[in-house]
Amino acid sequence: MLKKIIKYALLVSVLIIFSLTVYAWYLSSQVEKRFSARRWHLPSTVYADTTLLYPGQRFNPSIFTKKLLNLGYHRKSHLPSKKGEIQITPTEINIYLNDLKTPWRTREGFPVQVLAGGNRIEAITRIDTADQVPILELEPEEIMQFFGEERERRHLISIEKVPERLIRAVLAAEDHRFFEHSGIDFRGIIRALITNLRHGAIRQGGSTLTQQLAKNYFLTPARTFSRKFKEVLLAVVIELKYDKNEILEIYLNEIYLGQKGSVAINGFGEAAYFYFGKPVKELTLSEAAILAGLIKAPNHYSPYVDPARCRSRRDAVLQSMHRNEWLSETELQAGLNEPVRAVGFTVSGAKAPYFIDYLTEQLKRLYRPEDLSSLGLSVYTTLDTQLQLAAQRALTKGLERLERTNPDLQREAPEQKLQGAIVVMQPKTGHILAMVGGRDYSVSQFNRITQARRQPGSAFKPFVYLSGLAKFTPTTLLSNDAKSYTVDGKLWEPRNFEPVTEYTVSLKNALKKSYNLATVDLAMKIGLEEIVDMAARFNLSTPLKPYPSLALGAFEVIPLELARAYCVFAAEGVQPFPLSLKGVLDEHDSILEQKHLTIERLIPPAEAFIMTAMLQSVVTEGTARSLRWRGVSWPVAGKTGTTNDFRDAWFVGYTPDILALVWVGFDNGDTIAATGAAAALPIWADLMNAIPQYRSETEFKAPRGVARILVCPVTGLLSVADCPAPTEVYFLEGRTPTGHCTLHAKDGIAGKIKESLKGVSEEDDR
Amino acid sequence: MKTSPIQVVFLVLLPALLIGCPQPILQVTPSEIEEPAPAEKAADENPRVVAALQLTDQGRRLLEDGQPDRAIRALEQAVGLDPTNGQNYYYLSEAWLMKESAAQAKEFNHLAEIHLKEDRAWMIRVAQQADRIAELEK
């Protein structure tokens, strides 16, 4: 009988050992698989463009200060002594720059003084060397991270770069016998058992770092016997397969150490930045002890939650380090005397959500979504966060103003509210600097800059007039009289916005005053197919039909494409490809993608300039002249647009350096009862007034191939002495008027004609 | 001082001879074409222009170091600040030549031509650049 029992016992033991061996082998393969593969999912980070500062630059102090805070700089009352600190006084901003790292440039941080005189930078001086800095590049601002399901932030660190004081602090807090045990610390378990029995409650855990790692990495948090059993086995397996430093490095990168909004802070690399704004190698003894103390209960001991509790936990860690003879008495006292001071953080919402959506569409063509949330890529973009903020503010203010002045525009339901959109581009480079695709992203994610198709109204007219330059000149006279057209068997009778007495008008003045009748007359003279072709050359992708109403912008366009098309006028006839993505680095900072500005020549520079000159007169004397009293006193070219029943209001305006398109309307096509000049233009003006640093305020330069000629405003011929208020008009060379004004020539007949047309002339100059 | 007829002929022909001299691809330092140094040139100009010239110079140096991508980046920034300086387009064209993209080199060469039309020395370089682009296109 006994023999039988022994036999069964032996058999059972063999079976258990066999099963355990098989299970351990299985766990071993799991560990190997997990550790040899990608250990963590690192979210990819999207950055805005870098910011340039230079002496003489105008700037908006409030937006600039916000920019520095968004970059993670911390405000101090004293002169900055370490990277990431700023001191702001009424006359100067002292910045200890962070390191700069982009695919194109790396630079160590250094302290600078930015001397501000009013809204202008007077000088930039290095504080350490007193050298003048002619141009300074601030690091790119993080605007978004592509998280996976985990929503974890992690800044990986290698064990060689972790200071000894942090390792000692972690071991003192969690497992001071780490380098002595083999994954399971039996002495620790017994000690924990005794302590817990003495207190009648669980006061101490016996888990080693390796067990904690096993638990975090492979197991659920459930407190069951089987989970504990697996944890022990896994810890042993991990210790057998990896050396202590490897295990410690994984642990230091893995452990959960707090919460920033909805995102978890994992690993000491990230925690060092989150709590103290610095890399781990710069942590002081006290800071290292604080972080180590957080492992036990990160949100309970967080310096952001309860500094006193945090301090008491830090002191316990320092005492433990001292007990383990890792700290001298002097070091202990110094550590205990250090105040607990975290650097602070702000949880900001999405900074440019519509831009990010647009960018994501492009990134998806290059990377799978799961790669974006796991490969830790750095994505560099063209976005300018200061401009983005200014554009958002201008749009919000403008729409609220419209609703205030016309209560009929107010809507109860958020999704039915008056909408607007803005895109800002550099016309020469195609860089998209800001994109506001709607009033409130949380209400509607529909991007009205890239996804909407709206009638451009008169904002389309420049393409009609451009097509006309092949046959006509800016002074060619057009009929501005009422006419009927038959389209698909139906009668179409265009009208001017308001009745006018000017029945004949020059091409230049027709665009300036946005006359519909004269524009249709021009379009019919050019040929509608030619205008359709011209629009296609400008990469307007939406279908346009050769109907007379085409000339008045009756066919829908995509706002971004319209903005890009206008870039051609500002950029000497070349069209840039609209750029939002500039480059992508992998987690080791190797360049994966680079996008440069690329351009395509569409029209001769002289034609582009003639268009700009005519569009400048829209701003100086035409439908956009209200810009002047809205504070826009520098050279601007632009065009307003209003569609039938006031469904859409547009203004596209540009200088040689910057172009912005503003659209206002209701998604459902309700009337907004306002023109482009009344609804969209004020928003454009507000935006431009808020961003002085982006305007050179220089003139548009006339290229070769244009001639400036003094002409009679009535006949468009070369002016003579008696012409009333002769004006200078740009012509294409070789297409200038050849004859002198006969109307005002000094002979009896002309004098009579001049007298009879006096009224018309005055109308023209209105 | 008397001038001999041979000296007169020589002096008259000298500019033409100089224009005809072949020049290496990146012989373009502002000093060599008797351009004042960036800061010096721009001292009385607007601050954007001064800053842009720093970036233009950075771009030129990066090109000389054989780093076209980094040069393009600096030159893009320069264009952003001062789109009227034709030198930026000239160097951008050089960068694309270095990257062996004749199409883009041609576009920027054309822009350089537009903006540098009043600078005879630069126009010579722009013309030579156009020749090299044509060579690359073959």
Side-chain angles (χ1 to χ4, degrees):
Chain A
M1 181 66 185
L2 185 65
K3 254 184 176 179
K4 215 174 181 177
I5 291 170
I6 291 170
K7 200 175 153 187
Y8 275 116
L10 270 172
L11 191 65
V12 169
S13 303
V14 168
L15 273 175
I16 289 171
I17 290 168
F18 178 75
S19 304
L20 275 176
T21 310
V22 170
Y23 189 58
W25 177 81
Y26 164 76
L27 288 179
S28 166
S29 69
Q30 290 293 100
V31 167
E32 195 165 336
K33 196 172 153 192
R34 183 79 165 86
F35 281 11
S36 61
R38 189 168 193 83
R39 287 177 184 166
W40 294 282
H41 286 177
L42 299 179
S44 295
T45 307
V46 181
Y47 295 96
D49 203 357
T50 55
T51 303
L52 295 174
L53 302 178
Y54 48 86
Q57 184 183 29
R58 281 167 297 188
F59 77 131
N60 181 325
S62 89
I63 290 184
F64 181 64
T65 304
K66 191 165 167 41
K67 168 88 187 175
L68 289 172
L69 298 176
N70 282 344
L71 280 171
Y73 284 94
H74 301 291
R75 228 171 157 154
K76 299 285 169 191
S77 54
H78 56 79
L79 205 63
S81 57
K82 53 190 174 192
K83 287 175 193 170
E85 291 184 350
I86 50 169
Q87 180 199 28
I88 300 175
T89 75
T91 55
E92 62 193 52
I93 303 171
N94 296 306
I95 313 169
Y96 205 128
L97 294 166
N98 285 321
D99 296 341
L100 169 74
K101 188 199 79 184
T102 68
W104 310 276
R105 196 158 172 236
T106 51
R107 183 216 57 211
E108 279 280 310
F110 57 86
V112 285
Q113 181 192 63
V114 178
L115 202 61
N119 290 347
R120 194 178 287 271
I121 294 174
E122 295 290 335
I124 305 174
T125 314
R126 275 190 78 128
I127 295 172
D128 50 352
T129 62
D131 289 338
Q132 293 298 306
V133 181
I135 190 158
L136 185 66
E137 194 166 12
L138 289 181
E139 61 274 19
E141 183 179 335
E142 181 186 312
I143 46 174
M144 184 260 184
Q145 287 203 310
F146 285 99
F147 289 107
E149 284 174 5
E150 305 93 349
R151 293 193 68 75
E152 292 173 354
R153 280 182 76 108
R154 186 178 272 110
H155 182 93
L156 294 183
I157 48 174
S158 70
I159 192 75
E160 296 87 38
K161 293 195 177 156
V162 180
E164 192 65 23
R165 57 187 172 279
L166 177 60
I167 293 176
R168 294 292 189 202
V170 170
L171 299 188
E174 293 298 312
D175 182 4
H176 69 278
R177 294 189 65 251
F178 174 71
F179 284 103
E180 289 147 40
H181 61 67
S182 309
I184 313 293
D185 183 12
F186 293 103
R187 277 167 58 182
I189 292 169
I190 292 164
R191 193 183 55 248
L193 203 64
I194 293 167
T195 310
N196 294 342
L197 282 174
R198 194 184 298 153
H199 291 93
I202 293 175
R203 282 289 180 93
Q204 211 174 75
S207 290
T208 62
L209 291 191
T210 323
Q211 280 175 271
Q212 291 181 35
L213 184 61
K215 185 174 73 182
N216 270 18
Y217 231 68
F218 300 93
L219 304 169
T220 61
R223 304 186 91 173
T224 61
F225 177 76
S226 70
R227 190 198 61 81
K228 194 74 189 169
F229 177 68
K230 278 186 205 167
E231 177 188 307
V232 170
L233 265 184
L234 271 169
V236 174
V237 168
I238 290 170
E239 290 272 348
L240 284 172
K241 290 191 80 74
Y242 297 94
D243 72 33
K244 287 284 185 185
N245 275 341
E246 273 181 288
I247 296 167
L248 191 57
E249 183 179 278
I250 298 169
Y251 178 86
L252 293 175
N253 281 309
E254 168 60 25
I255 203 76
Y256 170 70
L257 287 168
Q259 199 72 24
K260 182 182 183 183
S262 63
V263 179
I265 302 296
N266 280 66
F268 282 82
E270 191 65 43
Y273 281 106
F274 177 58
Y275 291 105
F276 303 112
K278 54 172 79 166
V280 282
K281 66 179 180 190
E282 290 175 21
L283 290 174
T284 64
L285 172 67
S286 164
E287 290 164 347
I290 289 172
L291 293 187
L294 290 176
I295 300 169
K296 196 174 173 188
N299 296 314
H300 185 69
Y301 293 114
S302 167
Y304 293 127
V305 175
D306 188 339
R309 198 156 54 207
C310 174
R311 184 182 186 121
S312 139
R313 176 68 186 147
R314 177 205 63 180
D315 293 352
V317 174
L318 289 172
Q319 297 285 6
S320 172
M321 289 172 83
H322 180 58
R323 270 198 308 281
N324 284 291
E325 297 178 0
W326 294 332
L327 280 190
S328 67
E329 183 60 35
T330 324
E331 286 170 321
L332 172 68
Q333 288 312 320
L336 292 173
N337 288 333
E338 256 190 66
V340 169
R341 202 178 288 141
V343 79
F345 71 95
T346 47
V347 180
S348 49
K351 285 172 185 160
Y354 294 103
F355 177 86
I356 290 291
D357 282 354
Y358 174 65
L359 176 83
T360 307
E361 284 308 308
Q362 294 164 64
L363 285 171
K364 276 184 189 166
R365 288 179 215 143
L366 300 167
Y367 307 100
R368 297 176 306 161
E370 54 268 38
D371 289 342
L372 287 172
S373 61
S374 66
L375 295 181
L377 308 175
S378 298
V379 179
Y380 293 88
T381 72
T382 57
L383 187 85
D384 185 306
T385 49
Q386 292 183 86
L387 234 164
Q388 177 70 25
L389 182 64
Q392 283 169 194
R393 283 180 181 175
L395 184 68
T396 306
K397 189 176 149 195
L399 296 180
E400 284 172 0
R401 185 175 45 217
L402 282 165
E403 287 169 334
R404 218 171 28 249
T405 50
N406 182 0
D408 286 348
L409 301 181
Q410 293 171 10
R411 300 285 187 278
E412 277 297 311
E415 65 277 10
Q416 289 172 1
K417 278 185 181 291
L418 180 64
Q419 280 293 349
I422 298 179
V423 63
V424 186
M425 294 177 77
Q426 259 179 1
K428 299 272 176 25
T429 63
H431 287 188
I432 297 172
L433 303 177
M435 182 185 282
V436 190
R439 187 173 190 167
D440 185 347
Y441 185 80
S442 64
V443 172
S444 162
Q445 294 79 50
F446 180 69
N447 189 337
R448 289 154 193 85
I449 289 296
T450 59
Q451 296 173 306
R453 283 167 167 74
R454 306 288 305 208
Q455 289 185 8
S458 299
F460 183 80
K461 284 178 182 165
F463 306 100
V464 178
Y465 285 78
L466 172 67
S467 308
L469 288 183
K471 291 181 188 165
F472 309 107
T473 75
T475 51
T476 302
L477 295 175
L478 303 170
S479 163
N480 198 28
D481 211 350
K483 237 181 244 179
S484 306
Y485 300 88
T486 309
V487 184
D488 284 346
K490 288 179 190 166
L491 203 66
W492 181 63
E493 289 179 325
R495 277 177 302 173
N496 279 325
F497 178 68
E498 54 191 6
V500 291
T501 54
E502 218 174 349
Y503 298 114
T504 305
V505 63
S506 72
L507 192 139
K508 176 176 174 279
N509 285 347
L511 181 61
K512 182 171 88 181
K513 296 178 182 176
S514 206
Y515 287 146
N516 291 338
L517 296 173
T519 304
V520 177
D521 181 51
L522 174 66
M524 300 310 283
K525 283 175 176 161
I526 298 164
L528 297 170
E529 288 289 357
E530 275 194 42
I531 299 166
V532 171
D533 290 348
M534 180 65 82
R537 270 172 70 197
F538 273 65
N539 292 304
L540 295 175
S541 66
T542 43
L544 304 175
K545 291 185 178 163
Y547 295 165
S549 59
L550 163 75
L552 305 183
F555 290 94
E556 292 169 346
V557 295
I558 298 167
L560 180 61
E561 291 186 351
L562 187 64
R564 185 189 176 199
Y566 269 76
C567 284
V568 179
F569 304 136
E572 287 89 25
V574 301
Q575 188 172 53
F577 182 81
L579 262 189
S580 55
L581 173 67
K582 283 168 91 173
V584 181
L585 296 187
D586 69 10
E587 61 181 311
H588 308 296
D589 294 341
S590 303
I591 296 175
L592 299 179
E593 286 290 332
Q594 274 197 102
K595 303 271 185 197
H596 294 308
L597 83 140
T598 50
I599 55 174
E600 184 190 357
R601 204 180 325 161
L602 293 189
I603 56 171
E607 285 186 16
F609 182 78
I610 299 288
M611 286 308 302
T612 290
M614 292 203 288
L615 292 171
Q616 261 192 287
S617 70
V618 172
V619 172
T620 52
E621 311 158 63
T623 53
R625 63 187 178 279
S626 62
L627 272 182
R628 192 177 294 169
W629 60 262
R630 291 184 186 277
V632 178
S633 55
W634 56 90
V636 170
K639 186 72 192 81
T640 51
T642 313
T643 58
N644 278 351
D645 301 327
F646 303 99
R647 290 196 187 101
D648 305 85
W650 300 82
F651 185 66
V652 191
Y654 61 88
T655 72
D657 334 271
I658 199 162
L659 178 145
L661 171 149
V662 178
W663 168 85
V664 176
F666 280 106
D667 283 343
N668 64 2
D670 278 358
T671 180
I672 62 162
T675 60
L681 180 144
I683 295 172
W684 193 95
D686 280 349
L687 169 61
M688 288 298 147
N689 284 320
I691 51 165
Q693 67 273 43
Y694 296 90
R695 313 180 314 243
S696 65
E697 304 191 0
T698 52
E699 292 286 349
F700 294 96
K701 253 166 99 174
R704 210 182 262 174
V706 296
R708 194 163 62 168
I709 310 283
L710 201 60
V711 298
C712 169
V714 182
T715 62
L717 295 167
L718 297 173
S719 71
V720 294
D722 280 353
C723 287
T727 53
E728 284 190 320
V729 177
Y730 282 101
F731 293 87
L732 293 172
E733 251 173 29
R735 306 282 305 282
T736 53
T738 47
H740 282 89
C741 177
T742 48
L743 188 65
H744 304 103
K746 284 182 179 173
D747 57 52
I749 300 164
K752 286 175 191 167
I753 297 168
K754 184 174 71 177
E755 195 59 36
S756 68
L757 290 176
K758 200 175 170 188
V760 178
S761 167
E762 279 166 4
E763 183 71 27
D764 193 45
D765 289 333
R766 191 180 54 187
Chain B
M1 194 182 86
K2 273 194 169 181
T3 315
S4 72
I6 294 170
Q7 279 176 310
V8 172
V9 170
F10 178 75
L11 284 171
V12 169
L13 289 178
L14 183 64
L17 288 169
L18 286 175
I19 290 168
C21 286
Q23 293 176 34
I25 290 177
L26 263 180
Q27 75 291 50
V28 278
T29 60
S31 56
E32 283 173 7
I33 55 163
E34 293 173 13
E35 281 278 303
E40 201 183 312
K41 181 189 170 188
D44 55 347
E45 295 188 39
N46 91 40
R48 284 173 72 97
V49 175
V50 180
L53 281 170
Q54 297 285 337
L55 293 163
T56 308
D57 204 41
Q58 259 181 41
R60 180 185 60 76
R61 278 186 274 115
L62 287 165
L63 279 177
E64 284 174 346
D65 288 349
Q67 301 185 62
D69 287 316
R70 293 182 66 190
I72 290 173
R73 171 66 185 141
L75 293 164
E76 277 177 13
Q77 288 180 309
V79 171
L81 285 179
D82 178 17
T84 61
N85 182 358
Q87 292 178 29
N88 294 321
Y89 304 114
Y90 175 85
Y91 291 127
L92 278 166
S93 181
E94 281 301 328
W96 285 106
L97 264 173
M98 215 176 259
K99 287 166 74 71
E100 299 191 339
S101 168
Q104 280 303 302
K106 205 171 174 177
E107 298 290 10
F108 286 111
N109 174 268
H110 183 69
L111 276 179
E113 190 190 336
I114 295 167
H115 287 279
L116 293 167
K117 65 179 190 291
E118 280 154 18
D119 190 322
R120 197 176 139 274
W122 271 102
M123 281 307 284
I124 294 166
R125 289 170 194 284
V126 170
Q128 288 169 343
Q129 190 179 57
D131 291 344
R132 282 184 280 122
I133 295 166
E135 223 18 69
L136 182 67
E137 277 180 319
K138 279 180 192 167

